[in-house]
């Protein structure tokens, strides 16, 4: 087997190269002789191969002649960055010396990096710039608003335009006696009739019948319902004003006429109360039918109950009812009898009461 001339770390010629299997990892500080030796001792060039700057691993399939490492991009050791670079020389000469063992790892690492890559630039921090821009914008808006308010406050107030009607539509002083306009009639003002004694508006009882009248407040009317407490609260919220009642008796027949008056408000409480009473009349426990429309009204109706109320030991109780409203007064008429009540009886009484209103 041929032997190749090599130099050790001290530059002494004549040292025999070791077998590839006995070589240690490149870059180790304990084996300086392997830094300048070729990959194998067999068929090695004698004088033409230049000294490699980095030694490949013995286990890799590296070529017999290692390529020359780039000279312009290899990083320099901090301790030797000012030292002059040794010229290339053939093996076996005094100038062909191995690199220092301490700088061998740096040379190997620099050979693995692409030449175009340099030191990475630090990432630019945008948070502080954005914060400064946002703060400047807020300060600018606040300052502009304050200046605008200050300018507006220093200006004199703008006078309002004159009114379209500077004069009053009514006279400043009352008219002399005898020149006052006549009061409105009952046809022109419905309250002229309803503001007086409400009992005068009740339908008259038949002749020869003793009738009784009653004028009361909310408790007098609330006790006529099954749910007295609930109706008391509901009527109070609906601005209940007063109630006038007239009732009489003819044999077994009893008649009750009620005029329920409400205070004026944003809604027509009389119409709402009448609608609430008509809403349950079609049920089985009540009239059981839709009734009939009362002539002269838009929503007024009169009902004749389909079935009488029967209890053991008592005569059957037949019932008829009429519910309607006129203005702020709701009318509720009841007829009770032990015999069937004709529809004409409740209709006639309801029409007579409607005429009185």
């Amino acid at each position: 087997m041929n032997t190749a001339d090599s130099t050790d770390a001290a530059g002494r010629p004549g040292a025999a190269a070791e077998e590839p299997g006995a070589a240690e990892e490149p870059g180790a500080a304990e084996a300086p002789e392997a830094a300048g030796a070729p990959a194998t001792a067999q068929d090695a060039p004698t004088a033409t191969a230049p000294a490699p700057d980095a030694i490949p691993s013995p286990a890799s399939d590296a070529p017999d002649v290692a390529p020359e490492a780039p000279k312009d991009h290899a990083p320099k050791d901090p301790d030797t960055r000012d030292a002059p670079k040794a010229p290339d020389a053939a093996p076996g000469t005094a100038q062909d010396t191995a690199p220092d063992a301490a700088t061998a790892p740096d040379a190997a690492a620099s050979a693995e990096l692409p030449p175009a890559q340099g030191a990475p630039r630090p990432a630019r921090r945008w948070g502080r710039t954005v914060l400064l821009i946002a703060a400047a914008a807020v300060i600018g808006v606040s300052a502009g608003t304050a200046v605008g308010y200050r300018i507006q406050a220093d200006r004199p107030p703008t006078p309002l335009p004159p009114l379209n009607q500077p004069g009053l539509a009514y006279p400043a002083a009352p008219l002399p006696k005898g020149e006052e306009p006549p009061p409105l009639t009952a046809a022109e003002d419905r309250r002229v009739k309803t503001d007086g004694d409400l009992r005068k508006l009740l339908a008259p009882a038949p002749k020869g019948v003793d009738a009784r009248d009653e004028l009361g407040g909310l408790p007098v009317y609330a006790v006529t319902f099954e749910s007295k407490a609930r109706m008391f609260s509901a009527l109070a919220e609906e601005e209940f004003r007063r109630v006038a009642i007239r009732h009489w008796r003819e044999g077994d027949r009893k008649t009750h006429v009620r005029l329920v008056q409400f205070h004026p408000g944003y809604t027509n409480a009389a119409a709402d109360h009448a609608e609430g009473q008509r809403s349950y009349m079609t049920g089985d426990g009540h009239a059981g039918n839709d009734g009939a429309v009362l002539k002269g009204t838009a929503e007024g109706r009169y009902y004749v109950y389909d079935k009488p109320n029967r209890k053991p030991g008592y005569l059957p109780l037949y019932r008829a009812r009429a519910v309607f409203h006129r203005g702020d007064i709701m009318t509720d008429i009841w007829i009770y009898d032990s015999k069937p009540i004709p529809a004409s009886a409740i209709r006639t009484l309801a029409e007579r009461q409607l005429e009185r209103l």
Side-chain angles (χ1 to χ4, degrees):
M1 178 178 63
N2 296 331
T3 60
D5 293 337
S6 61
T7 58
D8 56 3
R12 295 188 301 269
E18 296 179 359
E19 293 295 325
E24 296 181 359
E25 292 294 331
E30 291 82 0
E33 292 83 3
T40 59
Q42 191 177 13
D43 298 333
T46 58
T48 58
D53 293 337
I55 300 175
S57 176
S60 62
D61 298 333
D64 294 340
V65 181
E68 183 179 359
K71 301 178 182 179
D72 297 337
H73 302 282
K76 299 179 180 180
D77 187 74
D79 298 334
T80 60
R81 58 179 179 267
D82 296 332
K85 185 178 180 180
D88 298 335
T93 62
Q95 289 81 5
D96 187 11
T97 59
D100 187 60
T103 60
D106 297 337
S110 62
E112 296 177 0
L113 293 176
Q117 292 183 355
R121 295 183 179 180
R124 181 175 296 179
R125 297 181 180 179
W126 294 96
R128 182 177 299 177
T129 304
V130 174
L131 183 60
L132 292 176
I133 294 175
V138 172
I139 293 175
V141 172
S142 302
T145 304
V147 171
Y149 272 104
R150 180 63 181 176
I151 294 174
Q152 186 67 21
D154 293 340
R155 291 177 179 176
T158 304
L160 297 175
L163 298 176
N164 294 333
Q165 289 183 328
L168 299 177
Y170 53 87
L175 294 176
K177 189 176 181 179
E179 297 184 5
E180 303 93 342
L184 297 177
T185 63
E188 296 172 342
D189 188 2
R190 202 172 289 165
R191 296 191 62 180
V192 174
K193 183 182 293 185
T194 59
D195 278 350
D197 190 353
L198 199 59
R199 291 172 295 183
K200 296 181 179 180
L201 298 178
L202 290 167
K207 294 181 180 181
V209 176
D210 187 14
R212 292 187 302 170
D213 297 343
E214 184 178 357
L215 182 65
L218 180 56
V220 175
Y221 182 60
V223 295
T224 61
F225 294 90
E226 295 180 0
S227 303
K228 300 176 178 58
R230 184 177 62 85
M231 288 303 302
F232 187 94
S233 301
L235 292 170
E237 293 178 358
E238 294 177 357
E239 299 294 334
F240 177 91
R241 181 179 178 184
R242 56 181 177 170
V243 60
I245 305 173
R246 176 170 290 172
H247 46 90
W248 64 86
R249 181 170 185 172
E250 300 175 279
D252 293 338
R253 179 175 294 185
K254 295 180 181 179
T255 304
H256 298 268
V257 181
R258 300 184 181 94
L259 301 181
V260 185
Q261 190 175 24
F262 295 85
H263 289 286
Y266 62 92
T267 60
N268 192 340
D272 295 342
H273 184 51
E275 180 61 27
Q277 295 301 303
R278 288 191 297 264
S279 62
Y280 61 83
M281 289 298 294
T282 58
D284 294 337
H286 302 280
N289 55 78
D290 295 336
V293 178
L294 181 62
K295 186 178 180 180
T297 64
E299 299 175 353
R301 288 182 174 273
Y302 61 92
Y303 306 86
V304 177
Y305 281 59
D306 295 337
K307 300 178 181 179
N309 187 8
R310 299 180 183 272
K311 290 184 180 180
Y314 294 90
L315 295 173
L317 181 63
Y318 293 88
R319 292 168 290 177
R321 188 184 188 188
V323 180
F324 59 93
H325 81 280
R326 179 66 72 192
D328 58 352
I329 295 178
M330 175 264 193
T331 303
D332 192 3
I333 302 175
W334 285 88
I335 297 178
Y336 303 93
D337 202 341
S338 59
K339 296 179 294 186
I341 303 172
S344 58
I346 186 66
R347 184 187 71 246
T348 302
L349 182 58
E351 291 175 353
R352 287 166 55 191
Q353 182 60 64
L354 183 61
E355 293 175 358
R356 300 282 294 181
L357 297 176

